[in-house]
Structure formats: structure tokens, C-alpha cells
Amino acid sequence: MTEWLIDLMEALGAPGAGIAIALENLFPPLPSEVILPLAGFTASQGEMSLLAVLLWTTAGSVVGALALYWVGALLGRERTLALAARIPLVKVSDITKTEAWFLKHGRKTVFFGRMIPIFRSLISIPAGVERMPLITFTLLTTAGSLIWNTLFVLAGWVLGRNWSVVETYVGVGTNAVIAVVLLAIVIFIGVRVAERRKGRHAVRD
């Protein structure tokens, strides 16, 4: 992966880093914690302007986020509810509660979500489903992405040839996020199965 990124940035410069980040939003297995520090290191070698890297990677983040926003907008609320009704152990009320929560906290979620591994890409979809005003979504995404990108690009710039150290430390945080998500899923399934068993016993009695 690193060789592909290097080739892309050598061929296109800072716009290549922006393209890579746009793809990272659409395909999370392309990690920003690799792309951004590497772009920062490349800039430190004088092959790209640091400012250009920050501008292009932020633009790439916004483009990728807008693509997922429109996926959510095309999916829409009614289709989302219809899909939820078909998923085992998921109730439509789960979606409506999530919807109410997002309507109340959506702005903070979009802004801070841009700085959380995994969620930084996925948060654009519910924003689209709920049709958050496009200007608001774009501004919040730009602000959150600029902070995230700046931290990692500067880390690569400062660390130089040791830029890959960033991936190691961020990987720990990403694994922690995954662990929390998996634990939440297990708890959710456990609670929902227990509710169903209670319901069956109540009907029998």
C-alpha cells in the first residue's frame, strides 16, 4: 500500500494525497493514519508544499464525505426504516430513537466524528439520511477534517523517516474503538434476546 501511495504522490503531488484521502473515506481499509503522515513526510523532503498537502487532503476528505452523504440522502428515511424492519433483533423504534438523538446532537456528531477512526467515514451516511443542511454538513466536515488532517500531516513532517510510528499508536486507538463497538453489539444482542424470551414466557403464562 505504501508503494502505491508514494507512486501516486510522486505522479500527482499534493492532489495525489487528496485523491488518496477521498478514497479512504469511501474505502476505510485505506487508513488515513498511513496516508497523512506519509504525505507530511513527503512534504518535509521538499517534494510537495505543506500548505498544498493540507488543502488537498482536506478537500479530499470533504469530497469523500459528500459522496457518502448523498448515499444516505438517496437511501432516505423510509428505505432506512424498511431495511431496519428486516434486520433480525432490530426494531424500527431503535432507528427512530437514533434519529431523534441525531437530530439533537447531529452537528457535534459530524464535527467530532471526523476525528474518530471508523466513524469518521460512516457518520456522513446518517447525516444524509436525515438531510442535514448541506452547507452545515460541509462546514462541519471541513473543520473536523482540517483538524484531523493537520495533526497527522504535521506528525509525519516532524517525525520524518519515522512517520510510520504514527500508524502504530493510532492503531491502538482504532482497535480500542473496534473493541467498544463489538462490546456494544454483544450487549445489544444480549438485551434483545432476553427481551424476546421474556415476551415468549409472558405469552405462555
Side-chain angles (χ1 to χ4, degrees):
M1 182 187 295
T2 303
E3 290 180 5
W4 173 78
L5 289 171
I6 292 171
D7 290 341
L8 185 63
M9 285 187 274
E10 284 182 350
L12 301 177
I19 291 170
I21 285 296
L23 291 174
E24 179 262 341
N25 277 265
L26 301 173
F27 306 102
L30 290 171
S32 61
E33 56 265 31
V34 172
I35 300 168
L36 295 171
L38 178 57
F41 165 63
T42 306
S44 73
Q45 302 302 296
E47 297 178 26
M48 299 186 294
S49 159
L50 180 61
L51 179 60
V53 169
L54 293 174
L55 291 175
W56 277 102
T57 54
T58 299
S61 296
V62 174
V63 168
L66 285 172
L68 292 176
Y69 173 94
W70 286 113
V71 168
L74 290 172
L75 181 63
R77 183 175 183 274
E78 296 305 318
R79 286 197 184 99
T80 302
L81 291 173
L83 287 171
R86 297 178 183 177
I87 300 174
L89 301 179
V90 174
K91 297 177 181 178
V92 172
S93 60
D94 295 329
I95 304 302
T96 55
K97 286 176 184 176
T98 303
E99 178 184 36
W101 186 90
F102 189 86
L103 289 172
K104 185 177 180 181
H105 304 285
R107 293 187 177 191
K108 289 181 286 186
T109 304
V110 169
F111 175 73
F112 289 108
R114 296 301 306 172
M115 293 173 263
I116 301 175
I118 301 173
F119 289 101
R120 62 190 310 273
S121 296
L122 299 178
I123 195 59
S124 302
I125 296 176
V129 170
E130 297 302 328
R131 288 299 184 102
M132 173 181 281
L134 191 57
I135 293 177
T136 301
F137 174 78
T138 303
L139 290 174
L140 291 169
T141 298
T142 301
S145 298
L146 180 59
I147 293 171
W148 175 270
N149 293 355
T150 299
L151 288 173
F152 283 88
V153 169
L154 289 180
W157 173 281
V158 171
L159 290 169
R161 295 190 180 279
N162 295 318
W163 64 268
S164 59
V165 171
V166 177
E167 181 187 3
T168 303
Y169 284 102
V170 176
V172 174
T174 301
N175 290 336
V177 171
I178 293 172
V180 170
V181 171
L182 290 175
L183 179 61
I185 291 172
V186 169
I187 292 172
F188 173 80
I189 292 173
V191 170
R192 196 48 49 84
V193 169
E195 286 177 353
R196 288 202 170 185
R197 285 179 178 170
K198 262 188 188 178
R200 287 174 186 168
H201 288 309
V203 170
R204 288 176 186 173
D205 294 342

